[in-house]
């Protein structure tokens, strides 16, 4: 600033990483020191003013190296037992969380789609040290780190359907990360999915498949990671009451076909799990809480993730959603009965090669949750049912 004070900067953590790779120290504003110090193997000098910098380097008043900020973890207070009924949807959430499988929920307004999605954070395992650093670097570039602290909670991003392409994918003057990168290692929840501009939806296809997005602008060309769990929610039609003969509009069923056609076939094919969320009967709203709590489900998810962590040790893969090629054949090939069932399902419903492989990945995750070393016919049957 004009009075010589050093103001906070955006991206102190990536700057410290770059300094570490070049075996150098880092000089930064005091407000950014706790963030930059997370790199660990680089000396970070955080000064308040330019005068402090001069006095440090002349030995008049040395500045002690900055210390990392606090590690925080936000425990969700929202529990899945708050959701009455919807046991199939809860099961799908558990599978999605365990294997990072993309989930599409379709149901009438008020059926609980948003309520279910909001409770997904409560069943996901905390970020590992590597994941926390990756996620924090992206949030640092966006200026979202709070007081230099790093969070072990997985990101949960829920952009509005009016968000621009730059807000979702990334862009702007300095090619900042967008929502899909800010959701890296976490959840991207897109409510009212068909209401997003078609260009935005189609742009999701490549990042969902590859886990990376390239933000290209005139003055910058940046590649960001974006391995997120995509959860989409949609009404079955414009009015939302396609299956309700009393409240449905006069254009049924054409309105439903036109509305869902806003989601292209190739994009829909990228959802591993697709479920209908039926409306909850009014008489069921007075029932007491039932089913597994979020803590119980989180423990099962953590066990499934631990199996995958051991399976993929030493590889670039982390969860079953990353399986492809020979690795997919090695760990997800079902038994003879399961393979026969999958072939019949693929022929009957015209599954694409991508759809076929996604069923196998989901079946592998279901087997992991079941504690089974092999993928069997019941696992394939359940996985196919979600297509």
């Amino acid at each position: 600033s004009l009075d010589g004070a050093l103001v906070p900067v955006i991206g102190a953590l990536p700057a410290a990483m770059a300094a570490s790779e070049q075996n150098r120290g880092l000089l930064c504003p005091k407000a950014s020191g706790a963030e930059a110090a997370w790199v660990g193997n680089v000396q970070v000098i955080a000064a308040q003013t330019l005068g402090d910098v001069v006095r440090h380097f002349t030995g008049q008043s040395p500045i002690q190296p900055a210390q990392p900020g606090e590690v925080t973890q936000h425990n969700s207070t929202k529990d899945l037992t708050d959701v009455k009924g919807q046991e199939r949807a809860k099961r799908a959430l558990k599978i999605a969380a365990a294997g990072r499988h993309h989930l599409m929920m379709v149901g009438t307004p008020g059926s609980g789609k948003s309520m279910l999605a909001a409770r997904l954070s409560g069943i996901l395992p905390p970020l590992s040290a590597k994941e926390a650093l990756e996620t924090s670097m992206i949030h640092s570039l966006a200026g979202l780190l709070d007081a230099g602290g790093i969070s072990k909670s997985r990101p949960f991003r829920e952009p509005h359907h009016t968000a621009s392409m730059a807000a979702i994918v990334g862009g702007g003057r300095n090619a900042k990360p967008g929502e899909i990168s800010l959701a890296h290692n976490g959840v991207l929840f897109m409510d009212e999915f068909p209401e997003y501009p078609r260009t935005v939806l189609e742009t999701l296809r490549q990042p969902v498949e590859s886990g990376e997005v390239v933000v290209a602008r005139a003055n910058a060309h940046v590649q960001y990671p974006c391995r997120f769990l995509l959860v989409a929610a949609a009404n079955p039609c414009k009015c939302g009451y396609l299956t309700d003969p009393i409240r449905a509009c006069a254009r049924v069923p054409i309105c439903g076909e036109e509305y869902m056609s806003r989601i292209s076939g190739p994009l829909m094919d990228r959802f591993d799990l697709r479920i209908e969320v039926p409306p909850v009967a009014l008489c069921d709203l007075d029932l007491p809480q039932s089913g597994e709590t979020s803590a119980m489900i989180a423990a099962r998810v953590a066990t499934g993730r631990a199996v995958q962590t051991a399976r993929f040790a030493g590889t670039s893969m982390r969860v079953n959603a990353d399986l492809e090629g020979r690795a997919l054949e090695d760990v997800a090939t079902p038994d003879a009965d399961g393979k026969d069932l999958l072939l019949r399902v693929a022929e009957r419903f015209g599954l694409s090669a991508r759809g076929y492989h996604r069923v196998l990945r989901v079946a592998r995750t279901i087997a992991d949750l079941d504690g089974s070393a092999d993928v069997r016919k019941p696992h394939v049957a359940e996985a196919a049912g979600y297509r």
Side-chain angles (χ1 to χ4, degrees), residues 130-142:
K130 180 179 180 180
E131 290 174 332
L133 186 58
E134 286 179 357
T135 305
S136 297
M137 285 180 66
I138 298 172
H139 285 227
S140 174
L141 288 170

Side-chain angles (χ1 to χ4, degrees), residues 134-135 138 155 179-186 225-228 318:
E134 286 179 357
T135 305
I138 298 172
E179 292 290 339
I180 63 175
S181 295
L182 294 173
H184 180 57
N185 291 323
C226 57
R227 293 191 179 276
F228 54 85
R318 297 182 182 179

